[in-house]
Amino acid sequence: MGFFAARQPILDREKALYGYELLFRTSLDNVFPDVDQEKATSKMIEGLQFDLGLDKISDGKLAFINFTEQSLLSGYPELLPNQKVVVEILETVKPTNSLYGALKKLRQKGYILALDDFIHEAHWEPFYKLIDIVKIDYREISKQDMHDTLAAVRQHPHIKLLAEKVETNDEFKKAKDEGFVLFQGYFFSRPEVIKSVTLTPGQASIASLMSALSSPEPDFNEITKLFELDVTLSFKLLRYTQTAMFKRQNAIKTIKQAVLVLGKNELERFVSLIFAAQFSSEKPQELIRLSIQRAKFCELLAPYCNQANDSSSAFLTGMMSLLDAMLDTELNMVINDLPLSDDIKHALIDNQGWLSDCVQLCKHFEQGNWQKMEQSCNDLNIPYQKILEEYEEAAMWAEEKVLQLA
């Protein structure tokens, strides 16, 4: 494959997933300032149609895609289905008569139009009746430009305001108060407040299972009893053993049989998945999916780091990397109290070791930071082509597991 993609979630006021902004390149080399935007746009559409596929990468949600002036005038958006994309008009595009005609045509054909990184200027006024969404860089815009832009857009009630680069829960709350209804950024993966953590009975059961499984030679009788004490965990365990990946001739009749069928490594993975679902039950589903995707991606990276025998640690590290968001507390306040190895703790708290390198590579990919991703690939000696394949596999696996844990 030669088509690289990342996506950034866009949530609504209830923190439910609304869509993704798709960030595309033809390769990792196409990240530098001299990339030709027109070529990048055409390759992006080509990649959506013939490589990744729009449904595959956006999971049925709206896909926000950037378009240059020339690509808009050339009708490129019409190569994609109008019910699945939001046409983002880049901030470099000039408000000409030709552009107005092109946007009017797209609007008549049912496309959703958005102005990207927008700052109000008088010559954009005639375009507002065509626009559905206005995206504002919440961190970069000046107070005066914010005031002027909000005042202008509020004259057109049909326009939805989208705040980009919302990185904290305080910013999220403030943007909501200002009338924004859509939000882009990783505010949902930051602690909302600093507070002590008290585990629920269900969470305590999972922590006990993690402790029991952390032993080099776990006591499967003890583990069976821990499952039998929690009806919900028992049900999820039995359902998990019914998936196609566990081929067997005889039906599962007891909890102990299910425990033995999975074995230590797969039980660790299963408990980690339940951990993510339990500890983020009141959080956006996107947070659960992201934590599961990180876990699988880190697991797939382990062999490239000459750590194939420690892939379960990589899985758990990826999962735990979003624990601060799940529990609304600082990571080091809870990690030290969990039965985790020193390697995992050093990776998550001190950003040290190969496990930390894997987590950082995950973050670079999620954020579309291609230059840092390239450097991480070089440091870990991972071929560019393979990294995309592993990321795609992790993404598909995460989507499947989110459905199983629902």
Side-chain angles (χ1 to χ4, degrees):
M1 297 182 189
F3 185 70
F4 288 75
R7 62 187 188 182
Q8 293 184 351
I10 294 171
L11 309 185
D12 64 18
R13 293 173 67 89
E14 305 302 319
K15 295 186 180 180
L17 184 63
Y18 180 82
Y20 292 102
E21 177 166 6
L22 305 187
L23 307 173
F24 295 98
R25 300 292 186 274
T26 55
S27 76
L28 286 179
D29 295 330
N30 282 350
V31 301
F32 303 108
D34 60 351
V35 171
D36 181 82
Q37 287 280 2
E38 303 302 333
K39 181 178 180 181
T41 299
S42 62
K43 289 291 185 181
M44 172 187 67
I45 296 174
E46 178 185 349
L48 281 175
Q49 292 178 321
F50 302 113
D51 291 315
L52 287 181
L54 186 58
D55 286 332
K56 183 176 179 182
I57 194 171
S58 64
D59 297 325
K61 299 295 184 180
L62 285 171
F64 287 63
I65 301 173
N66 291 328
F67 287 89
T68 61
E69 182 174 3
Q70 187 56 51
S71 64
L72 290 167
L73 297 179
S74 299
Y76 283 8
E78 295 180 46
L79 297 173
L80 299 171
N82 61 1
Q83 71 274 22
K84 296 182 179 181
V85 301
V86 174
V87 177
E88 285 200 29
I89 302 147
L90 286 170
E91 67 274 16
T92 55
V93 175
K94 304 299 181 184
T96 63
N97 290 335
S98 297
L99 178 69
Y100 186 92
L103 296 183
K104 183 177 180 180
K105 180 180 178 182
L106 289 172
R107 181 66 185 272
Q108 291 172 340
K109 291 192 173 184
Y111 286 89
I112 299 173
L113 305 179
L115 293 172
D116 188 31
D117 287 344
F118 187 68
I119 296 175
H120 170 71
E121 294 178 357
H123 44 248
W124 278 104
E125 184 68 38
F127 287 77
Y128 286 152
K129 62 184 179 182
L130 303 177
I131 301 301
D132 301 284
I133 299 171
V134 166
K135 300 181 69 176
I136 296 176
D137 189 323
Y138 203 74
R139 292 203 157 197
E140 295 297 325
I141 193 170
S142 69
K143 289 184 178 180
Q144 186 60 53
D145 285 339
M146 174 72 85
H147 176 272
D148 294 344
T149 301
L150 292 181
V153 172
R154 284 168 181 158
Q155 302 302 311
H156 305 271
H158 71 281
I159 296 179
K160 295 179 180 179
L161 285 167
L162 188 158
E164 295 183 275
K165 297 183 182 176
V166 178
E167 300 296 339
T168 69
N169 197 63
D170 285 342
E171 289 176 345
F172 170 63
K173 291 178 179 177
K174 183 180 178 183
K176 282 206 302 184
D177 291 341
E178 292 172 334
F180 287 86
V181 297
L182 298 173
F183 310 86
Q184 183 173 350
Y186 284 93
F187 63 93
F188 62 83
S189 65
R190 301 287 182 89
E192 295 184 9
V193 293
I194 303 300
K195 62 182 181 183
S196 61
V197 178
T198 302
L199 301 185
T200 67
Q203 291 170 342
S205 296
I206 296 171
S208 296
L209 280 167
M210 290 177 62
S211 180
L213 285 165
S214 66
S215 171
E217 296 184 5
D219 184 338
F220 287 106
N221 288 325
E222 177 189 357
I223 291 169
T224 298
K225 290 178 181 178
L226 288 171
F227 272 109
E228 289 174 341
L229 290 171
D230 192 305
V231 175
T232 300
L233 283 178
S234 297
F235 171 74
K236 290 184 180 294
L237 172 68
L238 292 173
R239 188 168 67 171
Y240 191 72
T241 60
Q242 301 302 317
T243 57
M245 63 184 293
F246 304 112
K247 296 179 180 178
R248 56 190 183 280
Q249 295 179 343
N250 300 319
I252 299 294
K253 297 182 179 180
T254 67
I255 296 298
K256 186 171 183 179
Q257 187 181 0
V259 167
L260 294 175
V261 163
L262 293 185
K264 182 179 187 296
N265 289 341
E266 194 57 44
L267 271 173
E268 287 181 324
R269 184 180 290 108
F270 168 72
V271 171
S272 296
L273 293 172
I274 297 298
F275 182 96
Q278 283 275 356
F279 279 64
S280 55
S281 58
E282 297 181 359
K283 293 291 185 175
Q285 189 178 47
E286 177 65 13
L287 178 60
I288 302 174
R289 187 203 61 77
L290 183 60
S291 64
I292 294 174
Q293 180 174 301
R294 278 193 190 179
K296 186 63 176 179
F297 194 35
C298 286
E299 177 188 61
L300 294 172
L301 293 177
Y304 297 101
C305 303
N306 297 318
Q307 301 287 343
N309 293 331
D310 208 11
S311 60
S312 60
S313 291
F315 185 94
L316 189 54
T317 303
M319 182 74 69
M320 297 297 102
S321 67
L322 282 167
L323 190 58
D324 53 346
M326 295 177 188
L327 295 179
D328 288 336
T329 189
E330 294 291 348
L331 199 57
N332 59 0
M333 292 182 65
V334 65
I335 287 295
N336 283 322
D337 294 329
L338 291 175
L340 301 173
S341 69
D342 289 340
D343 287 345
I344 294 177
K345 289 182 178 180
H346 287 316
L348 295 174
I349 297 174
D350 305 319
N351 297 320
Q352 294 178 358
W354 72 274
L355 290 170
S356 175
D357 293 337
C358 290
V359 172
Q360 290 304 315
L361 180 52
C362 291
K363 292 179 180 179
H364 297 330
F365 211 126
E366 292 162 6
Q367 297 167 5
N369 194 329
W370 304 104
Q371 290 180 334
K372 289 184 178 180
M373 180 179 156
E374 179 184 27
Q375 184 60 53
S376 293
C377 286
N378 289 335
D379 293 342
L380 296 173
N381 196 29
I382 302 175
Y384 294 160
Q385 303 296 342
K386 295 301 296 182
I387 196 67
L388 176 61
E389 295 174 15
E390 306 295 18
Y391 189 81
E392 286 186 35
E393 180 177 341
M396 290 188 291
W397 191 84
E399 296 296 344
E400 176 187 348
K401 296 307 173 186
V402 166
L403 293 175
Q404 289 179 1
L405 295 173

